[in-house]
Structures are given as structure tokens and as C-alpha cells.
Amino acid sequence: MLTPVAAQRIAESGVVVPRYAEVADLVLGSPVVVDGQIRSAARIKGAEAADVAPGHVRYYVEADVLALIRAGSPMPARIGYVVDVPLDARGRAPRLNKRRVLAFARPVAGRPTMVQLTTLDSQRDWSAELDAMVRRIVREVVAPDAPPAVTGLGNAFHVPGTLPGEGETQIFVQTATGDPISLSILRRPGQDRRWSVSLGEIVDEGAGPPPRDTLLWYRLACGLPRTLPAESLSAEDPENARVAREDYRFVLDQLGNCRG
């Protein structure tokens, strides 16, 4: 497993390894993920390439499937797709033949040998580091207990303790599946604030925060709103609401920028 890092890395092969969030975006949006080797690449010109971004060229690629990392059904040994790739450092169209790639795609109805990239540039040069990250994220995504996407925030409240500076804030997170996620922030006199995230009906204060560069971290860091909405605190008095907002900001700061 890769050691999580906040910044992009350069693999030994010289390939840039994207940040976790970028790869997670690709995996979540792609029902098909293929490790393949390009067998042929024919450049597309004219009207069929009229919308290509500056500094890019379009190809029709045929690739041999070396490994099927994610798919809902069997795939043929060779697939075809259209891809936009950047020009090389000299401004020339790159040679794609024999290049090993990871392709993030969806099936094409009625055409079993074709796939459609989920974005026209969602082909990435293969590296051992990127391959390992992709496979790890796919395992997280398809796991039965995979954390759902965050859609908003529900109720939030702060309960002061008996000592000055003591208290607990709980914030309930809304999800695409309706499965509960809750955040708990504890304040104790003379101690640093601690927070935890729980999946399920029971709040587990001992769960702790999610490790960075995991699917649960991604769901929260990329999906939580930047502020605690007023309707989440409608039942709180002004002081408790103020503390709850501070605690929510603390959680966001601890999670960090998912794309930074």
C-alpha cells in the first residue's frame, strides 16, 4: 500500500502520480478501469477533432487488456476508445504505440469491443505507484461498508460540560444513501480538542478521525460544506451555536484541503 501524502509525487519511471482525490474522482466516475497496452493509435483530424483543447491531439486507440481492475461484466481482450493527449515538449504529437496505460471508462451500449473514456483525457500513463493507488481505491469503493457520498449536514448541537472549557459537539452528516455519519468533537480542560467520525447509528467517540488518503477522508474532505448552515443549529442558543461552528471549522482544518 502507498504511504499517503498530500502532494503529487514523481514515480521512479518519471510519471507524475496524481493526488488521491484526483484518482478517487476517476475511479468513482468510471465503472470500467483497465490496465492496458496500446496496440495501435490513429490520429483523428478534421471535424471530429474540432473541439480538441489547444496543445492536445485526438486519437482512436486500440489497446490490449492486460488486467481488468474494475468492471461490471467481462471485457474482450482488446478494446477501442477515443482519447485526447497533450503534445510533447517539442509540440509534436506523441507516439502512443506500445505505451502502457490505465484507462478510466464506461461501456458503450451495443458495442462490446468499445469503451468511452469518462473524460476525453482519462487515460493515464501506467506506473507501479499509480496502479497500486487505483487498485486500493477500487477496493475501498466496492467494499460492502464503503462510506457513502456526503450530500449535506443535518442537526448539530453543543453540550457544555461541568468544567469551564469542557463540552462536546455532535454534527450529523447527510449522505446519498441515507446511511448515517456523525462527527463528534470533544473539549477537555488542558487538553487538545479531539474529534472522531462514526458510521452507523451508534456514535463511537473512540473511532478517531479517518486517515488521510482513504475513501472516508475523501468523502468528508471533499464533500462537507465549508460552513455549518444556520438550519443545523436552529435549536441551539447563540453561545452553543458559536462553539459548534468553531468545532466544525476545527474538523475542516484537520481534514485539510482534499485537492491541496
Side-chain angles (χ1 to χ4, degrees):
M1 183 181 294
L2 292 177
T3 301
V5 294
Q8 289 183 332
R9 294 161 296 178
I10 306 295
E12 290 181 2
S13 60
V15 177
V16 175
V17 180
R19 295 181 176 93
Y20 180 96
E22 180 182 343
V23 180
D25 288 346
L26 288 169
V27 170
L28 287 165
S30 306
V32 175
V33 182
V34 169
D35 171 3
Q37 186 165 35
I38 295 176
R39 187 177 185 88
S40 65
R43 186 170 175 181
I44 299 173
K45 300 180 180 180
E48 293 181 324
D51 60 341
V52 175
H56 289 67
V57 289
R58 180 165 293 171
Y59 284 96
Y60 173 73
V61 161
E62 288 192 344
D64 293 329
V65 176
L66 303 179
L68 197 56
I69 299 174
R70 184 185 191 190
S73 60
M75 299 284 292
R78 186 174 300 162
I79 56 173
Y81 57 88
V82 174
V83 61
D84 289 359
V85 295
L87 299 173
D88 64 19
R90 298 181 180 179
R92 299 174 182 172
R95 292 179 59 85
L96 299 184
N97 286 2
K98 299 183 178 179
R99 184 178 294 190
R100 188 173 178 182
V101 297
L102 293 167
F104 301 84
R106 62 176 66 91
V108 176
R111 303 187 70 179
T113 62
M114 290 284 296
V115 296
Q116 180 185 33
L117 297 185
T118 46
T119 65
L120 278 170
D121 65 347
S122 59
Q123 170 188 282
R124 297 289 186 271
D125 287 340
W126 185 93
S127 72
E129 293 87 350
L130 179 57
D131 184 273
M133 181 186 288
V134 170
R135 290 173 186 272
R136 176 162 65 91
I137 294 173
V138 168
R139 288 194 297 270
E140 291 180 292
V141 169
V142 302
D145 58 350
V150 171
T151 58
L153 292 173
N155 291 333
F157 61 88
H158 176 74
V159 179
T162 56
L163 299 175
E166 184 179 49
E168 179 178 359
T169 297
Q170 288 192 359
I171 301 167
F172 296 94
V173 179
Q174 298 169 337
T175 67
T177 61
D179 294 327
I181 295 178
S182 58
L183 309 175
S184 179
I185 304 94
L186 291 175
R187 293 171 176 245
R188 295 290 184 266
Q191 300 179 18
D192 293 334
R193 262 182 295 184
R194 294 188 296 109
W195 75 281
S196 60
V197 56
S198 301
L199 281 70
E201 299 290 346
I202 300 174
V203 176
D204 182 5
E205 296 176 356
R212 190 180 174 91
D213 290 0
T214 60
L215 186 60
L216 180 54
W217 169 84
Y218 165 88
R219 291 299 200 191
L220 296 174
C222 296
L224 285 174
R226 295 299 92 188
T227 58
L228 191 57
E231 53 268 28
S232 294
L233 297 164
S234 59
E236 290 292 276
D237 65 42
E239 178 57 20
N240 286 344
R242 181 191 65 79
V243 176
R245 290 191 185 95
E246 283 185 359
D247 286 344
Y248 183 65
R249 171 49 56 187
F250 170 75
V251 169
L252 294 181
D253 290 344
Q254 291 291 301
L255 288 166
N257 183 352
C258 77
R259 305 189 189 280

